[in-house]
Amino acid sequence: MNTDTYRAFVGLCDEEKSLKLQLADIKERKRTLTEGILAGFAEDGIDQMKIDANGSSHTIFPHETMRARPANSHEELNRAVKDAGFPELVQERVNAQTLGAFVREQLAEDTLPKAVRDQLDIYTDLTVRVRSAVKSDSATSRAIKNL
């Protein structure tokens, strides 16, 4: 058996993991630099700066984005938005990850209610992953037996 393809796959998985760590580090360093840049802009009384870097000219400037999130619970916010006359902003949804976990657990125990099952398109998605130890009795493997 030629294992070159498998070794290449494992190598790419390792490279991907390394790049994700590098990206997380870059984002953290950018956050740290952003604080200093914003403080410098405020201290110097400027709103932008032209910089030559990496062979081209760039303009850096502060960009403000307004964001909103619930101050208390989602339920309280939903009720307030509906009561204020904007019901179209409220969407009732089931969290996909939570639903997937619920379905796996219910199928593993063969207790998924028929009414719920009839409203679901349940399928498996086959991918290739790399891990150092095999967990043979996972919730997914038990759920697949009852699918």
Side-chain angles (χ1 to χ4, degrees):
M1 174 195 311
N2 184 347
T3 59
D4 291 346
T5 301
Y6 307 122
R7 290 180 197 285
F9 184 82
V10 171
L12 289 172
C13 289
D14 289 345
E15 184 178 352
E16 179 183 35
K17 184 177 181 179
S18 174
L19 289 171
K20 284 180 179 179
L21 291 172
Q22 288 178 36
L23 182 58
D25 180 57
I26 288 169
K27 287 181 178 183
E28 180 56 36
R29 290 182 3 226
K30 279 180 58 182
R31 267 191 291 279
T32 300
L33 292 174
T34 295
E35 294 169 10
I37 290 169
L38 291 174
F41 278 179
E43 186 178 305
D44 296 338
I46 59 174
D47 62 357
Q48 66 179 351
M49 179 175 284
K50 292 186 192 280
I51 296 288
D52 289 326
N54 302 322
S56 60
S57 179
H58 304 272
T59 301
I60 59 173
F61 57 94
H63 176 74
E64 187 172 28
T65 302
M66 181 175 291
R67 302 188 189 277
R69 61 180 172 213
N72 299 306
S73 72
H74 286 278
E75 292 78 17
E76 290 175 286
L77 175 61
N78 290 349
R79 192 174 326 106
V81 170
K82 285 179 181 179
D83 291 349
F86 303 99
E88 69 277 4
L89 295 178
V90 177
Q91 298 179 357
E92 187 174 350
R93 296 179 181 217
V94 175
N95 180 284
Q97 289 183 330
T98 304
L99 177 63
F102 168 78
V103 168
R104 276 192 308 276
E105 291 169 7
Q106 294 292 302
L107 282 174
E109 301 300 321
D110 201 21
T111 57
L112 183 63
K114 183 177 178 354
V116 174
R117 187 177 187 148
D118 289 346
Q119 297 302 312
L120 295 171
D121 176 19
I122 303 171
Y123 60 94
T124 60
D125 186 19
L126 187 59
T127 61
V128 177
R129 292 187 179 180
V130 176
R131 65 178 171 207
S132 57
V134 176
K135 185 178 177 184
S136 62
D137 198 35
S138 68
T140 298
S141 64
R142 292 192 319 271
I144 290 171
K145 292 175 187 172
N146 292 316
L147 186 60

